Amino acid sequence: MSSISFIPNFITLIRLFGAVSLLFAEPFSPLFYTLYIVCGLSDVLDGYLARRLGATSNFGQALDSVSDFLFIGILLFIYITYIALPGWSIPWIILIAAARFLSIIVGFRKYGKLTFLHTYSNKATGFALFLFPFLYSMFPLSITILLLCSVASISALEELLINATSKVLHRDIKSIFHH
């Protein structure tokens, strides 16, 4: 494997460090948005380059999933502590997190490894979460939260169902209909 094939994993590491750096940036400041956009672009670029360079690997998939999970977790922490969320959204967010956690447990017990899946609905959730600060500045918070929680609910339940019903782990499964 050539040294160029390590580029996708390096880009994923940029997202990992960028996500942690968000904790030290003032939310919604120019630095925050710069780190945020770098993280978002790296998420798109690392997978594209890995496929294009023929450098996909189980390690790269796992690193990408952990980086995504950390990025999303940090964003949720920032949003929940910085934005006064509507009361109705807190139980919904907790249920989504519980479904995600249960999916991780089911997948780990079945396959002996972390089972973050790269489904279309998970990608849609990541994209919706990525758009959140921009949507938040353009639309009422309740509509933005409703949209994000709806998409996240669908993807969390889909991932849980896939992990519960699949006989073999396929991290790149596109949807529950692709069994």
Side-chain angles (χ1 to χ4, degrees):
M1 193 174 326
S2 70
S3 62
I4 198 161
S5 63
F6 294 104
I7 291 173
N9 289 344
F10 179 74
I11 292 171
T12 304
L13 287 173
I14 290 171
R15 181 166 67 261
L16 191 78
F17 290 112
V20 172
S21 298
L22 284 169
L23 290 169
F24 303 100
E26 177 68 30
F28 308 109
S29 68
L31 175 61
F32 176 87
Y33 279 118
T34 300
L35 291 168
Y36 193 78
I37 289 170
V38 166
C39 288
L41 291 175
S42 74
D43 190 23
V44 173
L45 191 58
D46 62 356
Y48 171 78
L49 284 177
R51 289 184 295 279
R52 189 90 166 136
L53 297 172
T56 59
S57 67
N58 288 335
F59 174 76
Q61 285 179 331
L63 183 63
D64 180 64
S65 294
V66 168
S67 295
D68 288 347
F69 186 76
L70 184 66
F71 180 51
I72 289 168
I74 287 171
L75 290 177
L76 285 173
F77 172 77
I78 290 169
Y79 296 157
I80 289 170
T81 57
Y82 188 78
I83 298 170
L85 297 174
W88 57 263
S89 68
I90 303 300
W92 196 353
I93 292 168
I94 291 169
L95 286 172
I96 293 166
R100 292 275 179 200
F101 187 67
L102 182 58
S103 179
I104 290 168
I105 291 170
V106 167
F108 193 80
R109 290 194 72 189
K110 256 180 120 164
Y111 307 112
K113 53 181 88 171
L114 294 176
T115 57
F116 301 108
L117 305 178
H118 298 190
T119 62
Y120 290 139
S121 63
N122 277 343
K123 290 177 189 294
T125 299
F127 186 64
L129 185 61
F130 180 75
L131 290 178
F132 178 80
F134 307 106
L135 295 173
Y136 170 63
S137 67
M138 295 186 302
F139 299 105
L141 178 60
S142 58
I143 291 174
T144 305
I145 294 290
L146 179 66
L147 171 71
L148 186 56
C149 284
S150 297
V151 173
S153 295
I154 291 166
S155 70
L157 291 174
E158 179 185 49
E159 184 164 303
L160 177 58
L161 285 170
I162 291 170
N163 277 331
T165 61
S166 293
K167 298 200 183 334
V168 179
L169 173 61
H170 293 288
R171 283 193 177 100
D172 286 329
I173 190 167
K174 299 306 176 200
S175 78
I176 195 159
F177 303 110
H178 284 92
H179 268 265

